Amino acid sequence: MKNLKIKKLLFLIVFGFAILLVGCEGKTFTVSFDYDNGQQVETKTFNVKSGVEYPEATKEGYTFVEWKNVGKGDVNAPQEGATYSLKAIYKINEYTYKFVNDDDTVLMEGKASYGEMPVAPTEVTKVGTAEKAYVFAGWDKAVTALKEDVIYKATYREENAKYKIRFVNYDDSLIKEQTVAYGEMPSAPTTVLKASTDEFKYTFDGWDKEVAIVTGDATYKAKFIAEKNSNSYLSSFFMMKKSRAIPAMTAAVDPIRIPIITHSFFVERFKK
């Protein structure tokens, strides 16, 4: 008899618990998940018994931190029929960037947040040789807003080295200046003059050294031959005349006496 009572008690407990479970199975609540500041919202319904299941949240360039309850109530202790609002919280990613020369030496490096532009160096050079020069031609890839760690490598265009060639007059005044590539011949000026003086005129006689194929910076200076100016002889003659003194008169010259013929002179002549 006693065993029968125990069995009945156990039956009632199990039966009640089952009823309780069935009742809980029908109780639900709603959760609104905001993945990206209202740009992506998803609403899900959960059973009160099982509780909330948090979905995975991702956003390009960001790292997920947590689901933040931005509404009323505690989603971890849900109430039947309640609605809860959760918002995904992220932190922005930070990336490293490097700009290196073609020999991998670091020119500039830094860190910046996702979506920011890396700061490229303003001066990028490569040492050339006497024959060759290297002109910066850009980076091996386009410099864009950061989405990941990145390395940019310098590229160069090879060309003949260029040098400054100057042609100057006898007084070092510039006649012509040009930039000429290594191994090429400079173009010398065709007209080179020096002003004449009263005594001399000048004829161009070439340069102080032979104009040669370019191997470096060079300066050529004009030479002239001085010739006696033909007009200078006449000028010398007049200068000599001017320098001679005119002798002064040392004796007085008597004036010429001219007789004066008067009326009385003729009267006396006729009387005779």
Side-chain angles (χ1 to χ4, degrees):
M1 191 72 179
K2 185 176 181 181
N3 291 336
L4 181 61
K5 289 182 179 179
I6 294 173
K7 289 181 180 179
K8 286 182 178 179
L9 181 61
L10 291 173
F11 174 78
L12 290 173
I13 292 173
V14 170
F15 182 75
F17 185 71
I19 292 174
L20 181 63
L21 289 176
V22 171
C24 290
E25 287 292 335
K27 295 180 180 180
T28 60
F29 66 97
T30 302
V31 180
S32 175
F33 295 96
D34 182 356
Y35 289 86
D36 187 11
N37 293 321
Q39 300 299 314
Q40 182 184 354
V41 179
E42 181 182 25
T43 301
K44 290 185 177 184
T45 300
F46 299 96
N47 189 275
V48 171
K49 177 187 174 183
S50 58
V52 64
E53 294 179 7
Y54 294 98
E56 181 182 0
T58 60
K59 182 179 180 180
E60 183 181 4
Y62 293 79
T63 299
F64 175 73
V65 177
E66 65 175 345
W67 284 106
K68 182 178 180 181
N69 191 347
V70 293
K72 294 182 179 179
D74 183 3
V75 72
N76 293 313
Q79 301 296 316
E80 180 184 3
T83 298
Y84 302 91
S85 297
L86 300 180
K87 180 180 180 180
I89 304 300
Y90 303 91
K91 67 175 181 179
I92 194 167
N93 293 340
E94 190 175 64
Y95 300 105
T96 59
Y97 62 87
K98 287 183 182 181
F99 291 89
V100 300
N101 218 331
D102 67 339
D103 59 356
D104 293 323
T105 56
V106 177
L107 302 173
M108 182 176 288
E109 61 183 332
K111 291 184 177 181
S113 297
Y114 169 82
E116 293 183 343
M117 289 293 292
V119 180
T122 56
E123 293 186 9
V124 184
T125 59
K126 179 180 178 178
V127 178
T129 64
E131 298 86 356
K132 298 295 179 181
Y134 299 94
V135 180
F136 177 60
W139 304 101
D140 60 342
K141 61 178 74 69
V143 179
T144 58
L146 289 173
K147 294 184 178 180
E148 58 185 352
D149 294 337
V150 63
I151 297 176
Y152 298 97
K153 193 167 188 174
T155 63
Y156 293 89
R157 182 180 70 254
E158 184 180 274
E159 61 181 33
N160 286 342
K162 294 180 180 180
Y163 295 96
K164 183 182 293 185
I165 307 300
R166 303 174 73 248
F167 292 89
V168 299
N169 215 332
Y170 70 97
D171 58 356
D172 293 322
S173 59
L174 183 65
I175 301 172
K176 183 179 182 180
E177 183 176 280
Q178 56 190 293
T179 301
V180 184
Y182 180 91
E184 295 184 3
M185 195 73 173
S187 174
T190 56
T191 302
V192 184
L193 301 174
K194 180 179 180 180
S196 298
T197 63
D198 290 340
E199 188 174 2
F200 295 101
K201 64 179 180 179
Y202 300 93
T203 303
F204 176 61
D205 189 37
W207 306 100
D208 60 342
K209 53 180 171 287
E210 182 180 358
V211 178
I213 290 175
V214 171
T215 57
D217 293 335
T219 299
Y220 297 94
K221 190 169 186 175
K223 298 188 303 180
F224 292 89
I225 296 175
E227 300 178 40
K228 197 76 172 179
N229 198 330
S230 59
N231 294 331
S232 66
Y233 294 104
L234 184 60
S235 298
S236 298
F237 172 76
F238 282 112
M239 290 297 294
M240 291 176 60
K241 294 291 290 181
K242 289 178 182 179
S243 64
R244 290 180 179 176
I246 300 175
M249 295 179 65
T250 56
V253 179
D254 293 335
I256 301 173
R257 297 179 182 272
I258 301 175
I260 299 175
I261 302 174
T262 62
H263 178 267
S264 60
F265 172 76
F266 288 100
V267 174
E268 291 295 330
R269 289 289 183 184
F270 284 117
K271 284 182 178 181
K272 292 180 179 180

